[in-house]
Amino acid sequence: MVNLLDFDAAAFTAFFADHCEKPFRARQVLRWLHHAGEHDFDRMTDIARGLREKLKAVAVIVPPKLVADRLAGDGTRKFLFDVGGGNAVEAVFIPEDDRGTLCISTQAGCALDCSFCSTGKQGFSRNLTVAEIVGQLWQTRHALGGYRDQSQSNERVISNVVLMGMGEPLANLANTLTALRLMLDDNAYGLSRRRVTVSTSGLVPAIDRLRDECPVALAVSLHAPNDRLRDQLVPINRKYPLATLLSACQRYLTKAPRDFVTFEYVMIDGVNDAPEHARELLTLTRRIPCKFNLIPFNPFPGSAYRRSSASRTRQFADLLIAGGVVTTIRKTRGDDIAAACGQLAGQVQDKTARRGRTIWPLALEGQGVVR
Ligand code: SAH
Ligand code: SF4
């Protein structure tokens, strides 16, 4: 049995060809799945009964199981998915006046162990499948009423997707690429490349592959202006130091749908938030068209860092702006339900040796509406 939610358009066509079916049939079923959100072959009314029976014998449509759904005071909604084997991952929907952004996960845990990140501290279990990645979109669109009310399709409930949830998308590159292709496919989610953002801690060879195979908007988690500090905060920097990373950003821009890279910078009190750090950043990034997004550090149980004060963050932003770089300070959303950046924890069966020094994951109980 195959799970059709694992297939992008090319895989669909190949699968249908293997079963002696024409490409337009593949397209029809793809549309039913993602455009209409259908999971019951018998409700695909314009598909001949014979083909429906054939599909039922060889294929299933199984999204990750939505087990909890919590609403924060500011309208942010956090969804918890059980992906089996004791692992659960999270997605967060952030409604704004002019758009609705869904933040999704790509791995159960993360192996990269950034010192300020709750997911990193939970260790790593496994990569998510395409069905589990794109299924977060499928399930939340159902939960938000996006399939019921097709009149909303122009003004989409989910207008933007960011791969900024649990895990490092570029460490799960093949599945991430397939999921991205589905997000962009007009027969699936039809999102524009500019409205889909991959956030990476800086896996350089994978940034190049993303550029060549499916360029979307790119956000890079910088967090430090020099290798000495970045080595401590983002350990993957020891493998791909700043000079290498910034060259990859420049190469990316030759094919990117936006003409800048977004640098994310978590503001940690007394660690990376001094005026001198801002000045160093301006020198470091002077050759790269970029924007900075400052993220106030979000604490999680057991974290040793503190958030920079609002005035220090403002001062840091003003220095970057004075240096000619567009800089925004990210609003902290959903922190009353631990849905803010870096707080996503889900539940991870750690396969690295990290568990011993880990904070226990959030229990599934008490997470709100359980379906
Ligand atoms: N692995 C990818 C994407 C997931 S993390 C990456 O690292 O880019 C998404 C963003 O949240 C990253 O910029 C990450 O550095 C940031 N983040 C992680 N922990 C955080 C925390 N405790 N407070 C604020 N931001 C955090
Ligand atoms: Fe992984 Fe990103 Fe967290 Fe680093 S910040 S541990 S790369 S999820």
Side-chain angles (χ1 to χ4, degrees), residues 21 36 46 57 62 65 91 112 124 142 164 169 201 223 229 234 244 247 258 280 295 309 325 336 347:
E21 293 289 341
D46 56 358
V62 184
K65 196 166 156 215
L112 298 185
F124 175 69
H142 270 291
M164 291 186 188
S201 56
H223 306 319
L229 185 53
V234 185
T244 320
S247 304
R258 290 183 180 270
E280 232 183 310
I295 315 174
S309 70
V325 180
D336 52 336
Q347 179 166 295

Side-chain angles (χ1 to χ4, degrees), residues 110 112-114 116-117 119-120 167-168 201:
C110 183
L112 298 185
D113 201 17
C114 299
F116 50 84
C117 173
T119 305
E168 167 53 52
S201 56

Side-chain angles (χ1 to χ4, degrees), residues 116-117 163-165 167-169 199-201 221 223 264 266 295-298 300 341-342:
F116 50 84
C117 173
L163 280 66
M164 291 186 188
E168 167 53 52
S199 173
T200 179
S201 56
S221 294
H223 306 319
E264 296 163 282
V266 58
I295 315 174
F297 170 71
N298 289 309
F300 52 90
C341 302

Side-chain angles (χ1 to χ4, degrees), residues 93-238:
F93 178 69
I94 306 145
E96 283 169 290
D97 292 343
D98 56 341
R99 64 186 159 189
T101 303
L102 183 70
C103 173
I104 60 175
S105 297
T106 51
Q107 298 183 307
C110 183
L112 298 185
D113 201 17
C114 299
S115 61
F116 50 84
C117 173
S118 162
T119 305
K121 292 295 145 211
Q122 294 217 346
F124 175 69
S125 178
R126 65 170 176 84
N127 283 332
L128 298 187
T129 63
V130 176
E132 288 164 346
I133 299 172
V134 91
Q136 295 168 59
L137 191 45
W138 195 92
Q139 286 281 40
T140 48
R141 191 163 162 198
H142 270 291
L144 295 165
Y147 282 121
R148 231 180 11 252
D149 185 0
Q150 290 292 330
S151 64
Q152 297 196 30
S153 56
N154 286 332
E155 217 180 295
R156 294 201 178 97
V157 188
I158 299 169
S159 60
N160 296 54
V161 175
V162 295
L163 280 66
M164 291 186 188
M166 295 168 68
E168 167 53 52
L170 298 188
N172 182 13
L173 186 64
N175 292 347
T176 293
L177 286 170
T178 306
L180 288 173
R181 281 192 283 267
L182 278 167
M183 290 174 208
L184 304 180
D185 191 330
D186 282 337
N187 290 312
Y189 298 92
L191 296 170
S192 100
R193 286 180 191 281
R194 300 157 59 85
R195 290 176 174 270
V196 177
T197 303
V198 166
S199 173
T200 179
S201 56
L203 299 185
V204 166
I207 293 176
D208 286 330
R209 279 198 52 200
L210 183 69
R211 177 197 65 158
D212 293 336
E213 295 184 35
C214 194
V216 291
L218 183 69
V220 172
S221 294
L222 208 56
H223 306 319
N226 58 61
D227 285 323
R228 199 170 43 80
L229 185 53
R230 196 165 190 269
D231 281 351
Q232 290 168 31
L233 298 177
V234 185
I236 194 67
N237 192 67
R238 295 172 204 158

